[in-house]
Amino acid sequence: MKSVRYYGTEDVRIEDIPEPELVDGSVKIAPAFNGLCGSDLSLFFSGPLPPAPTDSEPHALSGEVLPVVFGHEFSGVVTEVAHDVDHVQVGDRVVVEPLMVDGTCWACQQGQYNLCEQMGFIGISGRGGGMAQSIVVEKRWVHPIGDMALEEGALIEPLAVALKAKGLNVILSEVSAARQQIAKDAGYADRIVDPTEESLLNVVHDATDGVGAAFAFDCAGVEVVFNQMFEVVRPTGHVEIVAVYPEAIMFAVADALTMQERTMGSSIGYANVHSEAIELVRSGKLNVCQFISSVIEMDDVVDQGLRKLRDAGETEVKILVKIDQ
């Protein structure tokens, strides 16, 4: 079967590989669309980062070394189910929660399986991926989406990472004019700030009666943005790092945290929210299609996908790879 496989830094190849076989407790899926993610960009341009294996060090759970099939944001259609699977059937449209966990560590036992000591991602750590004509997935990770368009389904995974629609007042800082317009059209931000034209600190100050924001989310992965988050957060506020930082950065612990008793965290993925994300889209409360900026073929994943997403970041938001069938 046709697949897109990741070998390492700037090395992704279109290859023919054997089709995976169904096993007990699993579902075989024909992927339809796979979204390209910032994690994919980091892996492609910076090289293998955990939880990806290397060409000599296998991932603890998958046991695989590079190359691995790429792609973890995907939707598809069920083509086969094991005898002990009853929540989906052949022909169902589904999305995959692309995790692999040991199920035995403390975090898994607490239900926070995204924090598993040996956590891996399908499409990064092995066990197939969304950029292949077929994949076999453990049944617990397969979620039916009803009649939802498969293009929308491919955005459920990133939506699960960053759920909105919680009734919060959101101020978005963005330097790209094109992305500012996308955010305005989407209507999911209450105020959009271009930090090169006006002070984000002043905007947050005015919006919060001088107190500061309760929460700030760093989705940029840029050191100057990271430090700016602490300037706009109130005493006892919280900064959450969602972006991936491939290299170490510096910040002043006393000023950023200690003197104001702020807290900082960093989040990887999600746990137990796929059903909520699916319902938000199916109910019409969230329109994810507006974030799809391009749909490309598997053969074009490098030049029209990964490189374009890096080089044309102002006009590209979510690029979907259409999987050949």
Side-chain angles (χ1 to χ4, degrees):
M1 67 176 183
K2 188 174 183 178
S3 70
V4 176
R5 294 219 289 175
Y6 172 67
Y7 277 78
T9 309
E10 298 197 41
D11 190 356
V12 165
R13 309 176 195 178
I14 310 298
E15 295 184 325
D16 185 67
I17 62 173
E19 183 174 333
E21 296 183 0
L22 193 73
V23 296
D24 289 350
S26 69
V27 178
K28 182 178 284 192
I29 300 165
F33 295 94
N34 186 99
L36 296 181
C37 173
S39 300
D40 299 327
L41 292 185
S42 295
L43 289 166
F44 183 71
F45 290 107
S46 300
L49 301 167
T54 69
D55 57 6
S56 60
E57 298 179 3
H59 186 272
L61 294 181
S62 72
E64 296 180 44
V65 296
L66 296 181
V68 296
V69 177
F70 228 4
H72 63 278
E73 300 180 0
F74 62 97
S75 62
V77 177
V78 175
T79 58
E80 193 176 353
V81 298
H83 68 91
D84 53 352
V85 173
D86 56 16
H87 73 297
V88 294
Q89 58 187 2
V90 173
D92 283 354
R93 296 181 177 196
V94 296
V95 296
V96 170
E97 191 172 351
L99 298 181
M100 55 182 75
V101 301
D102 60 28
T104 60
C105 69
W106 181 86
C108 285
Q109 293 299 308
Q110 302 306 307
Q112 296 297 315
Y113 52 81
N114 60 312
L115 306 180
C116 173
E117 292 178 359
Q118 302 185 90
M119 186 272 294
F121 275 93
I122 296 168
I124 292 177
S125 311
R127 296 186 181 171
M131 283 190 265
Q133 292 176 306
S134 185
I135 183 173
V136 169
V137 180
E138 184 183 349
K139 65 181 180 180
R140 70 176 291 190
W141 305 124
V142 180
H143 300 269
I145 58 173
D147 59 358
M148 183 189 299
L150 289 166
E151 292 90 338
E152 291 180 300
L155 274 81
I156 292 296
E157 196 276 344
L159 177 61
V161 171
L163 283 168
K164 215 284 186 183
K166 292 292 186 180
L168 301 179
N169 184 21
V170 177
I171 299 173
L172 174 68
S173 177
E174 174 58 63
V175 298
S176 163
R179 286 177 175 263
Q180 290 171 23
Q181 189 60 51
I182 292 168
K184 290 176 184 176
D185 293 342
Y188 297 146
D190 299 285
R191 175 71 186 273
I192 299 169
V193 178
D194 180 347
T196 65
E197 299 290 337
E198 58 182 328
S199 167
L200 177 62
L201 178 60
N202 289 343
V203 170
V204 174
H205 185 276
D206 292 344
T208 60
D209 295 326
V211 176
F215 304 96
F217 294 85
D218 172 16
C219 305
V222 178
E223 185 170 350
V224 65
V225 175
F226 172 85
N227 284 296
Q228 188 179 45
M229 294 296 94
F230 295 99
E231 297 176 4
V232 303
V233 171
R234 68 185 59 173
T236 72
H238 182 80
V239 172
E240 187 72 10
I241 311 303
V242 181
V244 174
Y245 282 86
E247 298 179 356
I249 61 174
M250 299 286 292
F251 81 108
V253 175
D255 291 341
L257 299 177
T258 309
M259 301 307 296
Q260 297 292 307
E261 292 193 10
R262 300 186 183 101
T263 59
M264 179 179 69
S266 186
S267 179
I268 179 69
Y270 34 71
N272 303 305
V273 297
H274 263 63
S275 294
E276 181 182 1
I278 291 168
E279 181 55 32
L280 283 172
V281 174
R282 292 195 66 189
S283 67
K285 291 181 180 179
L286 289 180
N287 174 16
V288 295
C289 282
Q290 61 192 315
F291 299 116
I292 301 172
S293 51
S294 297
V295 179
I296 64 173
E297 302 296 326
M298 292 176 72
D299 291 339
D300 299 323
V301 66
V302 173
D303 290 337
Q304 295 301 313
L306 295 165
R307 295 192 187 282
K308 187 177 182 182
L309 195 57
R310 180 195 64 178
D311 299 335
E314 287 203 359
T315 56
E316 295 292 348
V317 179
K318 180 58 66 176
I319 297 177
L320 297 186
V321 180
K322 184 179 180 182
I323 308 305
D324 297 350
Q325 292 296 340

